[in-house]
């Protein structure tokens, strides 16, 4: 019987494991090792780790966890989990079964890209979802913002901070008003509403955008609005309540609507999806689990 089983080995799950382990708790971390940032060459904005490769970040995290013999982990996909009288039962796809008093869901999100030919070749290399993570590297270059909905009003203004040479592409969607287009044009931002036929370039570096009407523009990179989806459905299976954004609803310490089940990191949709924020939330939720365990035992 573990004090806590953590599902997901991203920054939230790893930091929660560290906090729980340092509180002398018996912890098991189950990690499928299919992170959302696998396409990224470097992660930014994490003080002392700025520019680190995601794999190197994970290796450093496990080096920290190895100091604590009460923390265990294994690379395996979780198949199912059920609530029991004394806690929870977790079954892996390798037919292993583990038991724990508490469950922490830190399975994160997955990106759903627009349906544009060639976009996968550039995502994570020269097209990114977050300017705070990758804007510095693309600063002052000819950029594109690809967005098929109203989020472009915010994204266009925000990314203009990093480059004034900016083109907005709505990929055939015509939702912008004349007033909104005029505001973009007044700040030197061109708007193209034609459908994108293909993105072109070499070795992950965007060079050209070709449109269905035959028009072409040269761009060196940019940002794309992605739809975020839960990477796993364990929260629904356990009966957790979800918020309007599609994240698992929690209190400030990660407690969900199901007693004994906690959620942390991107899976909660509590804010921007950034490495440092997910790690910080994992630390806070780990402490919350320790507090609840102590209250039950005292």
């Amino acid at each position: 019987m573990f004090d806590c089983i953590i599902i997901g080995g991203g920054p939230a799950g790893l930091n929660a494991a560290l906090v729980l382990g340092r509180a002398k708790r018996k912890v098991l971390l189950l990690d499928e090792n299919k992170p959302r940032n696998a396409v990224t060459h470097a992660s930014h904005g994490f003080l002392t780790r700025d520019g680190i490769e995601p794999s190197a970040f994970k290796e450093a995290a496990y080096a920290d966890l190895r100091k604590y013999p009460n923390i265990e982990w294994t690379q395996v996909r979780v198949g199912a989990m059920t609530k029991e009288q004394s806690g929870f039962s977790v079954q892996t796809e390798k037919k292993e079964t583990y038991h724990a008093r508490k469950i922490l869901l830190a399975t994160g999100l997955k990106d759903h890209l627009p349906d544009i030919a060639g976009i996968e070749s550039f995502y994570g290399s020269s097209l990114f979802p977050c300017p705070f993570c990758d804007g510095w590297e693309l600063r002052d270059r000819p950029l594109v913002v690809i967005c098929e909905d109203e989020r472009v009003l915010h994204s266009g203004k925000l990314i203009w901070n990093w480059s004034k040479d900016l083109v907005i592409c709505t990929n055939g969607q015509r939702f912008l008003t004349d007033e909104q287009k005029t505001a973009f044009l007044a700040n030197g931002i061109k708007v193209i509403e034609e459908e994108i036929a293909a993105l072109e370039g070499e070795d992950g570096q965007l060079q050209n955008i070709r449109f269905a009407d035959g028009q072409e523009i040269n761009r060196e990179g940019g940002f794309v609005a992605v739809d975020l989806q839960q990477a796993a459905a364990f929260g629904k299976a356990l009966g957790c309540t979800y918020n309007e954004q599609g994240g698992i609803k929690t209190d400030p310490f990660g407690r969900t609507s199901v007693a004994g089940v906690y959620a942390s990191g991107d899976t909660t949709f509590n804010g921007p999806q950034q490495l440092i924020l997910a790690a910080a939330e994992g630390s806070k939720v780990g402490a919350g689990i320790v507090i609840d365990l102590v209250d039950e035992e005292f």
Side-chain angles (χ1 to χ4, degrees):
M1 175 68 74
F2 290 91
D3 288 309
C4 184
I5 292 179
I6 299 171
I7 315 298
L14 290 165
N15 221 52
L18 179 62
V19 170
L20 283 155
R22 287 181 52 79
K24 304 196 300 181
R25 294 296 170 173
K26 189 176 181 183
V27 183
L28 174 64
L29 188 148
L30 302 177
D31 179 20
E32 186 185 9
N33 198 30
K34 291 185 177 180
R36 178 186 171 208
N37 65 358
V39 299
T40 304
H41 298 294
S43 297
H44 298 281
F46 198 127
L47 195 63
T48 76
R49 294 293 183 269
D50 188 51
I52 192 170
E53 293 183 12
S55 59
F57 179 89
K58 204 162 195 176
E59 289 172 7
Y62 280 119
D64 286 343
L65 298 188
R66 288 190 187 96
K67 303 172 188 175
Y68 305 94
N70 48 319
I71 302 176
E72 301 178 30
W73 61 86
T74 184
Q75 184 175 319
V76 67
R77 180 178 176 85
V78 173
M81 60 185 71
T82 54
K83 188 170 178 56
E84 301 176 330
Q85 186 174 0
S86 59
F88 300 87
S89 174
V90 177
Q91 298 82 40
T92 74
E93 290 194 342
K94 293 181 179 180
K95 308 302 181 184
E96 303 156 323
T97 300
Y98 301 99
H99 302 276
R101 297 168 61 187
K102 308 291 184 185
I103 293 290
L104 172 56
L105 301 176
T107 48
L109 304 171
K110 57 182 179 180
D111 296 334
H112 181 71
L113 295 170
D115 186 15
I116 299 172
I119 194 168
E120 293 85 359
S121 300
F122 307 105
Y123 192 61
S125 297
S126 55
L127 283 178
F128 304 93
C130 172
F132 290 102
C133 300
D134 297 285
W136 173 261
E137 283 67 36
L138 296 181
R139 67 193 184 280
D140 302 324
R141 294 165 65 180
L143 302 183
V144 64
V145 176
I146 299 174
C147 184
E148 300 175 330
D149 55 41
E150 288 77 6
R151 288 177 292 175
V152 75
L153 298 173
H154 170 73
S155 297
K157 290 191 294 182
L158 184 62
I159 293 165
W160 182 79
N161 175 78
W162 281 270
S163 176
K164 301 300 186 283
D165 188 350
L166 194 60
V167 176
I168 286 175
C169 297
T170 64
N171 193 29
Q173 304 303 315
R174 289 171 168 77
F175 54 84
L176 289 170
T177 66
D178 290 340
E179 182 180 4
Q180 291 166 343
K181 294 177 190 176
T182 299
F184 279 134
L185 289 172
N187 287 283
I189 301 173
K190 185 178 181 180
V191 176
I192 299 178
E193 295 179 312
E194 294 298 325
E195 182 179 351
I196 297 173
L199 303 178
E200 300 168 336
E202 296 180 354
D203 300 323
Q205 298 305 305
L206 180 66
Q207 297 173 348
N208 190 62
I209 301 176
R210 182 162 45 85
F211 295 88
D213 64 356
Q215 179 183 184
E216 295 187 13
I217 59 171
N218 299 122
R219 298 283 95 182
E220 295 182 7
F223 296 87
V224 55
V226 300
D227 291 327
L228 298 173
Q229 302 172 346
Q230 292 286 346
F234 300 125
K236 290 187 181 297
L238 291 169
C240 296
T241 300
Y242 283 67
N243 58 34
E244 293 180 357
Q245 292 75 37
I248 299 176
K249 190 174 182 179
T250 68
D251 73 0
F253 282 95
R255 302 179 187 95
T256 72
S257 59
V258 178
V261 179
Y262 303 75
S264 182
D266 292 349
T267 194
T268 64
F269 272 87
N270 275 338
Q273 288 78 47
Q274 292 185 315
L275 191 72
I276 193 167
L277 297 179
E281 189 175 325
S283 177
K284 182 171 65 173
V285 174
I289 296 172
V290 172
I291 291 168
D292 289 348
L293 288 167
V294 172
D295 284 343
E296 292 172 8
E297 297 165 351
F298 191 77

